[in-house]
Amino acid sequence: MLQHLMDYLSGSHLIALANADPLWVVAIVAVIILCETGLVIVPFLPGDSLLFTTGAFLPATSLSPITVIALLTVAAFIGDTLNYHIGKGAVGRFILRRQWLKVQHREKTEAFFRKYGAATVFIGRFVPIVRTLAPFIAGLSSMPRSTFLLWNFAGGLAWCGGFIALGYFLGDMPWVRDHREWLALGIIGVSLLPVLTAVIRPAQQEES
């Protein structure tokens, strides 16, 4: 059973899966990216590490980096656009009334807007939590749609292209190529830390 699980977690299995059903694999990644950027209540999804890992596996597969970057940029663009319209409408006001957003997360994002203005939509792509809340706050504050879409597209392209390219070139290095399975597991572990923190911290506060 353990060996069977390790086989499924191994880099070779992931590469074989990507070669057999490349569009299916990219679709799964795209859905995760869309959810992280489009659903304001799930800011803990591992977008950065997922993009990097996707790029790291590309040299050993038949997937085209340009195609993958294009598809995931579209997913990121649609996600932010959806989030913007959620913040702009009645759903955004409902979320605020329900207090589903952590106060510190909202304050952090609003501080970015005060410092960088509309460019926060671009810069926020590279900052966890802010990446998810920035389009929501932009819609809530009635940022002009044309301005938002411009920064949204530029940020999505830079974010997806940058992390995938970084993973792609590092993934072709001998050491990375020989340890892809451990790299993937390590990145997944780091990505899960925010989720574990979000679960453990409230439990500790209740105990104290």
Side-chain angles (χ1 to χ4, degrees):
M1 178 67 71
L2 180 59
Q3 183 60 44
H4 184 66
L5 177 61
M6 289 304 296
D7 288 343
Y8 267 77
L9 292 175
S10 70
S12 58
H13 176 80
L14 292 176
I15 292 171
L17 179 61
N19 277 320
D21 297 293
L23 291 181
W24 177 248
V25 174
V26 173
I28 293 173
V29 176
V31 168
I32 296 174
I33 294 297
L34 192 151
C35 289
E36 184 193 12
T37 57
L39 303 179
V40 69
I41 59 175
V42 289
F44 50 78
L45 292 176
D48 292 340
S49 56
L50 186 59
L51 290 172
F52 180 89
T53 303
T54 300
F57 283 104
L58 286 180
T61 72
S62 60
L63 295 169
S64 165
I66 301 301
T67 301
V68 173
I69 290 173
L71 291 174
L72 296 185
T73 297
V74 169
F77 178 82
I78 292 174
D80 261 26
T81 302
L82 172 64
N83 210 341
Y84 170 83
H85 286 289
I86 290 174
K88 196 176 181 67
V91 176
R93 294 188 292 273
F94 176 80
I95 290 174
L96 289 182
R97 286 198 303 271
R98 285 288 187 173
Q99 298 182 341
W100 287 347
L101 300 180
K102 290 187 176 181
V103 174
Q104 62 268 34
H105 291 172
R106 182 181 174 185
E107 290 177 345
K108 179 180 180 181
T109 306
E110 290 175 342
F112 265 77
F113 268 98
R114 286 193 297 270
K115 185 174 183 180
Y116 299 109
T120 298
V121 178
F122 178 94
I123 299 170
R125 288 283 190 181
F126 301 89
V127 183
I129 305 299
V130 175
R131 173 167 53 248
T132 302
L133 268 64
F136 178 81
I137 300 297
L140 201 65
S141 61
S142 299
M143 177 187 293
R145 191 168 184 272
S146 58
T147 302
F148 171 79
L149 291 177
L150 175 63
W151 288 108
N152 176 16
F153 176 75
L157 180 60
W159 180 51
C160 294
F163 274 94
I164 290 175
L166 184 63
Y168 181 83
F169 289 112
L170 290 180
D172 205 28
M173 295 172 58
W175 185 89
V176 177
R177 187 171 59 245
D178 294 338
H179 299 84
R180 279 197 180 93
E181 59 272 28
W182 295 110
L183 175 65
L185 291 175
I187 290 175
I188 291 171
V190 172
S191 301
L192 290 177
L193 286 178
V195 182
L196 295 176
T197 301
V199 173
I200 295 172
R201 186 175 295 171
Q204 291 177 335
Q205 290 175 348
E206 290 178 3
E207 291 176 359
S208 61

Coordinates of all heavy atoms in Angstrom, one line a residue, residues 20-72:
A20 N 0.3 11.6 -20.9 CA -0.9 10.9 -21.3 C -2.1 11.8 -21.5 O -2.8 11.7 -22.5 CB -1.2 9.8 -20.4
D21 N -2.3 12.7 -20.5 CA -3.5 13.6 -20.6 C -3.0 15.0 -20.2 O -3.4 15.6 -19.2 CB -4.5 13.2 -19.6 CG -5.1 11.8 -19.9 OD1 -5.7 11.6 -20.9 OD2 -4.8 10.8 -19.1
P22 N -2.3 15.7 -21.1 CA -1.7 17.0 -20.8 C -2.8 18.1 -20.6 O -2.7 18.9 -19.6 CB -0.9 17.4 -22.0 CG -1.4 16.5 -23.1 CD -1.8 15.2 -22.4
L23 N -3.9 18.0 -21.3 CA -4.9 19.0 -21.2 C -5.7 18.8 -19.9 O -6.1 19.8 -19.2 CB -5.9 19.0 -22.4 CG -5.3 19.5 -23.7 CD1 -6.3 19.4 -24.8 CD2 -4.8 20.9 -23.6
W24 N -5.8 17.6 -19.5 CA -6.5 17.3 -18.2 C -5.7 17.8 -17.0 O -6.2 18.4 -16.1 CB -6.7 15.8 -18.1 CG -7.3 15.3 -16.8 CD1 -6.7 14.6 -15.8 CD2 -8.6 15.5 -16.4 NE1 -7.6 14.3 -14.8 CE2 -8.8 14.9 -15.1 CE3 -9.7 16.2 -16.9 CZ2 -10.0 15.0 -14.4 CZ3 -10.9 16.3 -16.2 CH2 -11.0 15.6 -14.9
V25 N -4.4 17.6 -17.1 CA -3.5 18.1 -16.0 C -3.5 19.6 -15.9 O -3.7 20.2 -14.8 CB -2.1 17.6 -16.2 CG1 -1.1 18.2 -15.2 CG2 -2.0 16.0 -16.1
V26 N -3.4 20.2 -17.1 CA -3.4 21.7 -17.1 C -4.8 22.2 -16.6 O -4.9 23.2 -16.0 CB -3.1 22.2 -18.5 CG1 -3.3 23.7 -18.6 CG2 -1.7 21.9 -18.9
A27 N -5.8 21.5 -17.0 CA -7.2 21.9 -16.6 C -7.3 21.9 -15.0 O -7.9 22.8 -14.4 CB -8.2 21.0 -17.2
I28 N -6.7 20.9 -14.4 CA -6.8 20.8 -12.9 C -6.0 22.0 -12.3 O -6.5 22.6 -11.4 CB -6.2 19.5 -12.4 CG1 -7.0 18.3 -12.9 CG2 -6.0 19.5 -10.9 CD1 -6.4 16.9 -12.6
V29 N -4.8 22.3 -12.8 CA -4.1 23.4 -12.4 C -4.8 24.7 -12.6 O -4.9 25.6 -11.7 CB -2.7 23.5 -13.0 CG1 -1.9 24.7 -12.6 CG2 -1.9 22.2 -12.7
A30 N -5.5 24.8 -13.7 CA -6.2 26.0 -14.1 C -7.4 26.2 -13.1 O -7.6 27.4 -12.7 CB -6.7 26.0 -15.5
V31 N -8.1 25.2 -12.7 CA -9.2 25.3 -11.8 C -8.7 25.8 -10.4 O -9.3 26.6 -9.8 CB -9.9 23.9 -11.7 CG1 -10.9 23.9 -10.5 CG2 -10.6 23.6 -12.9
I32 N -7.6 25.3 -10.0 CA -7.0 25.7 -8.7 C -6.6 27.2 -8.7 O -6.9 27.9 -7.8 CB -5.8 24.8 -8.3 CG1 -6.3 23.4 -8.1 CG2 -5.2 25.3 -7.0 CD1 -5.1 22.4 -7.8
I33 N -6.0 27.6 -9.8 CA -5.6 29.0 -10.0 C -6.8 29.9 -10.0 O -6.9 30.9 -9.4 CB -4.8 29.2 -11.3 CG1 -3.4 28.4 -11.2 CG2 -4.5 30.6 -11.6 CD1 -2.5 28.9 -10.1
L34 N -7.8 29.4 -10.8 CA -9.1 30.2 -10.9 C -9.7 30.3 -9.5 O -10.2 31.4 -9.2 CB -10.0 29.5 -11.9 CG -11.2 30.4 -12.3 CD1 -11.6 30.0 -13.7 CD2 -12.4 30.2 -11.4
C35 N -9.8 29.3 -8.7 CA -10.4 29.3 -7.4 C -9.6 30.2 -6.5 O -10.2 31.0 -5.7 CB -10.5 27.9 -6.8 SG -11.7 26.9 -7.6
E36 N -8.3 30.2 -6.5 CA -7.5 31.0 -5.6 C -7.7 32.5 -5.9 O -7.8 33.3 -5.0 CB -6.0 30.7 -5.7 CG -5.2 31.5 -4.7 CD -3.7 31.4 -4.9 OE1 -3.3 30.9 -6.0 OE2 -2.9 31.9 -4.1
T37 N -7.7 32.8 -7.2 CA -7.8 34.2 -7.6 C -9.3 34.7 -7.6 O -9.6 35.9 -7.5 CB -7.2 34.5 -8.9 OG1 -7.8 33.6 -9.9 CG2 -5.7 34.2 -8.9
G38 N -10.2 33.7 -7.8 CA -11.6 34.1 -8.0 C -12.5 34.0 -6.8 O -13.6 34.7 -6.8
L39 N -12.2 33.2 -5.8 CA -13.0 33.0 -4.7 C -12.3 33.7 -3.5 O -11.4 33.2 -3.0 CB -13.3 31.6 -4.4 CG -13.9 30.8 -5.6 CD1 -14.1 29.3 -5.3 CD2 -15.2 31.4 -6.0
V40 N -12.9 34.8 -3.0 CA -12.2 35.6 -2.0 C -12.1 34.9 -0.7 O -11.3 35.2 0.2 CB -13.0 36.9 -1.8 CG1 -14.4 36.7 -1.2 CG2 -12.2 37.9 -1.0
I41 N -12.9 33.8 -0.4 CA -12.8 33.1 0.9 C -11.8 32.0 0.9 O -11.7 31.3 1.9 CB -14.2 32.6 1.2 CG1 -14.7 31.6 0.2 CG2 -15.2 33.7 1.4 CD1 -16.1 30.9 0.5
V42 N -11.1 31.8 -0.2 CA -10.0 30.7 -0.2 C -8.7 31.3 -0.5 O -8.1 30.9 -1.5 CB -10.4 29.5 -1.1 CG1 -11.5 28.7 -0.5 CG2 -10.8 30.0 -2.5
P43 N -8.1 32.2 0.3 CA -6.8 32.8 -0.1 C -5.6 32.0 0.2 O -4.5 32.4 0.0 CB -6.8 34.1 0.8 CG -7.6 33.7 2.0 CD -8.7 32.8 1.5
F44 N -5.8 30.7 0.8 CA -4.7 29.9 1.2 C -4.3 28.9 0.2 O -3.3 28.1 0.4 CB -5.1 29.2 2.5 CG -6.4 28.5 2.4 CD1 -6.5 27.2 1.8 CD2 -7.5 29.0 3.0 CE1 -7.7 26.6 1.7 CE2 -8.8 28.4 2.9 CZ -8.9 27.2 2.3
L45 N -4.9 28.9 -1.0 CA -4.5 27.9 -2.0 C -3.1 28.2 -2.5 O -2.7 29.4 -2.7 CB -5.5 27.9 -3.2 CG -6.9 27.3 -2.8 CD1 -7.9 27.5 -4.0 CD2 -6.8 25.9 -2.4
P46 N -2.3 27.2 -2.9 CA -0.9 27.3 -3.2 C -0.6 27.7 -4.6 O 0.0 27.0 -5.4 CB -0.3 26.0 -2.8 CG -1.4 25.0 -3.2 CD -2.7 25.7 -2.8
G47 N -1.0 28.9 -5.1 CA -0.8 29.3 -6.5 C 0.7 29.4 -6.9 O 1.0 28.8 -7.9
D48 N 1.5 30.1 -6.1 CA 2.9 30.2 -6.4 C 3.6 28.9 -6.6 O 4.3 28.7 -7.7 CB 3.6 31.1 -5.4 CG 3.2 32.5 -5.3 OD1 2.6 33.0 -6.3 OD2 3.4 33.1 -4.2
S49 N 3.5 28.1 -5.6 CA 4.2 26.8 -5.7 C 3.7 25.9 -6.7 O 4.4 25.1 -7.4 CB 4.2 26.1 -4.3 OG 2.8 25.9 -3.9
L50 N 2.4 26.0 -7.0 CA 1.8 25.1 -8.0 C 2.3 25.5 -9.4 O 2.6 24.7 -10.2 CB 0.2 25.3 -8.0 CG -0.6 24.3 -8.9 CD1 -0.3 22.9 -8.6 CD2 -2.0 24.6 -8.8
L51 N 2.4 26.8 -9.7 CA 2.9 27.3 -10.9 C 4.4 26.9 -11.1 O 4.8 26.4 -12.2 CB 2.8 28.8 -11.0 CG 1.4 29.4 -11.2 CD1 1.4 30.9 -11.1 CD2 0.8 28.9 -12.5
F52 N 5.2 27.0 -10.0 CA 6.6 26.7 -10.1 C 6.7 25.2 -10.3 O 7.5 24.8 -11.2 CB 7.3 27.0 -8.8 CG 8.7 26.7 -8.7 CD1 9.7 27.6 -9.2 CD2 9.2 25.5 -8.3 CE1 11.0 27.3 -9.2 CE2 10.5 25.1 -8.2 CZ 11.4 26.1 -8.7
T53 N 5.9 24.4 -9.6 CA 6.0 22.9 -9.8 C 5.6 22.5 -11.2 O 6.2 21.6 -11.9 CB 5.1 22.2 -8.8 OG1 5.5 22.6 -7.5 CG2 5.2 20.7 -8.9
T54 N 4.6 23.2 -11.8 CA 4.2 22.9 -13.1 C 5.3 23.2 -14.1 O 5.6 22.4 -15.0 CB 2.9 23.8 -13.5 OG1 1.9 23.4 -12.6 CG2 2.5 23.5 -14.9
G55 N 6.0 24.3 -13.9 CA 7.1 24.6 -14.8 C 8.3 23.7 -14.6 O 8.9 23.3 -15.6
A56 N 8.5 23.2 -13.4 CA 9.6 22.3 -13.1 C 9.5 21.0 -13.9 O 10.5 20.3 -14.2 CB 9.8 22.1 -11.6
F57 N 8.2 20.5 -14.0 CA 8.0 19.2 -14.7 C 7.9 19.4 -16.2 O 8.0 18.3 -16.9 CB 6.7 18.6 -14.2 CG 6.8 18.0 -12.8 CD1 6.3 18.6 -11.7 CD2 7.5 16.8 -12.7 CE1 6.5 18.0 -10.5 CE2 7.6 16.2 -11.4 CZ 7.1 16.8 -10.3
L58 N 7.8 20.5 -16.8 CA 7.6 20.7 -18.2 C 8.7 20.2 -19.0 O 8.5 19.6 -20.1 CB 7.3 22.2 -18.5 CG 5.9 22.7 -18.2 CD1 5.8 24.2 -18.5 CD2 4.8 21.9 -18.8
P59 N 10.0 20.4 -18.7 CA 11.1 19.9 -19.5 C 11.1 18.4 -19.8 O 11.6 17.9 -20.8 CB 12.4 20.3 -18.7 CG 12.0 21.4 -17.9 CD 10.6 21.1 -17.5
A60 N 10.5 17.6 -18.9 CA 10.4 16.2 -19.1 C 9.1 15.7 -19.7 O 8.8 14.5 -19.8 CB 10.6 15.5 -17.8
T61 N 8.3 16.6 -20.2 CA 7.0 16.3 -20.8 C 6.9 16.8 -22.2 O 7.8 17.5 -22.7 CB 5.8 16.8 -19.9 OG1 5.8 18.2 -20.1 CG2 6.0 16.5 -18.5
S62 N 5.8 16.5 -22.8 CA 5.5 17.0 -24.2 C 4.7 18.3 -24.2 O 4.3 18.8 -25.2 CB 4.8 16.0 -25.0 OG 3.5 15.7 -24.4
L63 N 4.5 18.9 -23.0 CA 3.7 20.1 -22.9 C 4.5 21.3 -23.4 O 5.7 21.4 -23.1 CB 3.3 20.3 -21.4 CG 2.3 19.2 -20.8 CD1 2.2 19.4 -19.3 CD2 1.0 19.3 -21.5
S64 N 3.8 22.2 -24.1 CA 4.4 23.4 -24.5 C 4.4 24.5 -23.4 O 3.3 24.8 -23.0 CB 3.7 23.9 -25.8 OG 4.1 25.3 -26.0
P65 N 5.5 25.0 -23.0 CA 5.5 26.1 -22.0 C 4.6 27.3 -22.4 O 3.9 27.8 -21.5 CB 6.9 26.5 -21.8 CG 7.7 25.3 -22.4 CD 6.9 24.7 -23.4
I66 N 4.7 27.7 -23.6 CA 3.9 28.8 -24.1 C 2.4 28.6 -23.9 O 1.6 29.4 -23.5 CB 4.2 29.2 -25.5 CG1 5.7 29.5 -25.7 CG2 3.4 30.4 -26.0 CD1 6.2 30.6 -24.8
T67 N 2.0 27.4 -24.3 CA 0.6 27.0 -24.2 C 0.1 27.0 -22.8 O -1.0 27.5 -22.4 CB 0.3 25.6 -24.9 OG1 0.7 25.7 -26.3 CG2 -1.1 25.2 -24.8
V68 N 0.9 26.4 -21.9 CA 0.6 26.3 -20.5 C 0.5 27.7 -19.9 O -0.5 28.0 -19.1 CB 1.6 25.4 -19.8 CG1 1.4 25.5 -18.3 CG2 1.6 24.0 -20.2
I69 N 1.5 28.5 -20.2 CA 1.4 29.9 -19.7 C 0.2 30.6 -20.1 O -0.5 31.3 -19.4 CB 2.7 30.7 -20.1 CG1 3.9 30.1 -19.3 CG2 2.5 32.2 -19.8 CD1 5.2 30.7 -19.8
A70 N -0.1 30.5 -21.4 CA -1.3 31.1 -22.0 C -2.6 30.7 -21.3 O -3.4 31.5 -20.9 CB -1.4 30.9 -23.5
L71 N -2.8 29.3 -21.1 CA -4.0 28.8 -20.5 C -4.1 29.2 -19.1 O -5.2 29.6 -18.6 CB -4.0 27.3 -20.7 CG -4.1 26.7 -22.1 CD1 -4.0 25.2 -22.1 CD2 -5.5 27.1 -22.6
L72 N -3.0 29.2 -18.3 CA -3.1 29.5 -16.9 C -3.2 31.0 -16.7 O -3.8 31.5 -15.7 CB -1.9 29.0 -16.2 CG -1.7 27.4 -16.2 CD1 -0.6 27.0 -15.3 CD2 -3.0 26.8 -15.7

